Amino acid sequence: MNPFDYLRAEDVASAVATVAGRPGAAYLGGGTNLVDHMKLGVATPDLLVDVTRLPFNQVEVLPSGAVRIGATVRNSDLAADPVIRARYPALSRALLAGASGQLRNLATTGGNLLQRTRCVYFQNLTTPCNKREPGSGCSAIEGYSRYHAILGASNQCVAVHPSDMAVALVALDASVVVLGAAGERRIPVVDFHRLPDDQPERDTVLTHGDLITAVEVPELPEGTRSTYWKVRDRASYAFALVSVAAAVHLDDGIVRDVRLALGGVAHKPWRAGRAEQVLRGGPATEENFQRAADAELADARPLAGNRFKVPMARNTLVAVLRELALGQGR
């Protein structure tokens, strides 16, 4: 691990000013992803600004009915929060599926959004990786690709985003509250992460010095059911091969509103807009669920090692919709 300086932030303004003014600086929350990458030599910050003591550790209901989740709320606390469990079971389930209990006790809301890919080539300094070293090449395209993208990839990168929480937040139309040198702004989670195109080294739309302070989740229409399913190689502590977050509002068998997101299939949590268009306003039938899944996956471009992901994503999406249509989700 390279040597680095450490500073505990005493207030929000000084934290942002410090990181924005030093190109090699980074924020430190739970450190469950960043510290691992520092040990591997993938990340080499020369200053860590610890933000865990800043006042962002609360979950509160806003006057609008939305819920504001502070950036330093631990994943375990968020998954167990009674408001989250009652209103957004998809989010609670995604968090519980995301990691071991020990990691959830340390990981933060803001840090979860900023996770970097678990691609084996990204984490191996001896192999070419455009995300780690732009222009060096993508080893995964012709290499081990079981966990890699089938949607939205480019010839520069086929890695996937690993967060379960972010997939649920996309389906819930959440926004990220960010404080930067120019002030505060809100970014829809669906727009927060980037597809790789020709800049795979950029995971998000943030600029250097931007600090996540909260996530805001709007109130769902009364009667909306939501859930999260994760398909993985083993029952626990594994990243998603495919995951589905869904929020569905049914009225007399008709899909009045639906929000869908897929995980494990793209460089960012994938909003399933085509599937939503097929479903919205139509009957909640098995035939329509299959049509929606086929529409969403029509442009899938699997690699040699992950062709199974296309039928897996289709079957998982249909199964989730079937569960919610039968009233088995909340």
Side-chain angles (χ1 to χ4, degrees):
M1 183 184 293
N2 289 350
F4 60 91
D5 297 327
Y6 171 86
L7 175 67
R8 177 173 290 166
E10 299 297 333
D11 61 83
V12 180
S14 65
V16 171
T18 298
V19 174
R22 186 160 166 174
Y27 295 114
L28 175 68
T32 56
N33 189 214
L34 175 60
V35 173
D36 281 349
H37 285 161
M38 291 173 66
K39 291 177 180 177
L40 293 169
V42 174
T44 57
D46 58 27
L47 169 64
L48 293 182
V49 177
D50 186 338
V51 296
T52 56
R53 300 294 181 90
L54 297 180
F56 304 139
N57 63 345
Q58 300 295 319
V59 178
E60 57 182 323
V61 179
L62 302 177
S64 65
V67 174
R68 182 181 177 97
I69 303 163
T72 62
V73 173
R74 305 293 177 172
N75 286 179
S76 289
D77 294 335
L78 185 59
D81 186 271
V83 173
I84 299 300
R85 293 182 64 186
R87 294 192 180 190
Y88 312 110
L91 178 55
S92 181
R93 292 183 181 191
L95 287 161
L96 292 173
S100 68
Q102 294 93 329
L103 287 176
R104 293 197 303 269
N105 288 340
L106 190 61
T108 64
T109 299
N112 192 302
L113 288 169
L114 295 174
Q115 288 182 82
R116 307 210 71 191
T117 182
R118 264 47 174 206
C119 174
V120 294
Y121 301 107
F122 173 70
Q123 298 185 97
N124 184 347
L125 298 184
T126 68
T127 59
C129 172
N130 287 322
K131 179 176 283 295
R132 191 182 65 247
E133 186 180 348
S136 63
C138 176
S139 298
I141 290 177
E142 299 295 334
Y144 181 76
S145 56
R146 178 174 177 79
Y147 286 92
H148 288 72
I150 60 173
L151 293 167
S154 74
N155 61 5
Q156 298 294 309
C157 183
V158 294
V160 299
H161 186 74
S163 173
D164 294 283
M165 183 192 80
V167 179
L169 291 175
V170 166
L172 295 171
D173 283 339
S175 296
V176 185
V177 184
V178 175
L179 182 64
E184 185 178 89
R185 66 189 191 278
R186 282 166 172 75
I187 305 169
V189 179
V190 70
D191 298 324
F192 182 77
H193 300 96
R194 299 180 65 259
L195 291 178
D197 48 67
D198 59 354
Q199 289 185 298
E201 71 277 10
R202 293 189 60 210
D203 292 334
T204 73
V205 298
L206 296 182
T207 57
H208 184 68
D210 284 345
L211 175 66
I212 297 174
T213 60
V215 170
E216 293 181 353
V217 189
E219 187 174 18
L220 294 175
E222 185 175 355
T224 298
R225 302 166 183 159
S226 76
T227 194
Y228 181 81
W229 280 28
K230 180 177 182 178
V231 183
R232 45 191 165 180
D233 279 331
R234 56 185 188 272
S236 62
Y237 318 149
F239 297 102
L241 292 168
V242 168
S243 65
V244 176
V248 179
H249 182 207
L250 298 177
D251 181 15
D252 197 23
I254 301 299
V255 179
R256 299 303 180 190
D257 191 26
V258 57
R259 310 173 194 183
L260 303 170
L262 304 179
V265 298
H267 197 256
K268 60 182 288 184
W270 186 266
R271 184 67 181 256
R274 289 184 178 179
E276 292 175 359
Q277 289 180 358
V278 171
L279 293 167
R280 196 170 284 120
T285 62
E286 186 80 8
E287 180 183 2
N288 275 354
F289 300 160
Q290 293 174 359
R291 287 179 52 239
D294 288 340
E296 194 59 50
L297 295 164
D299 290 339
R301 297 293 181 267
L303 298 165
N306 66 4
R307 298 186 189 283
F308 68 92
K309 278 195 175 187
V310 179
M312 179 179 284
R314 181 185 188 275
N315 293 341
T316 306
L317 180 55
V318 170
V320 167
L321 291 168
R322 184 189 305 123
E323 176 189 88
L324 293 176
L326 292 173
Q328 295 172 346
R330 287 188 297 163

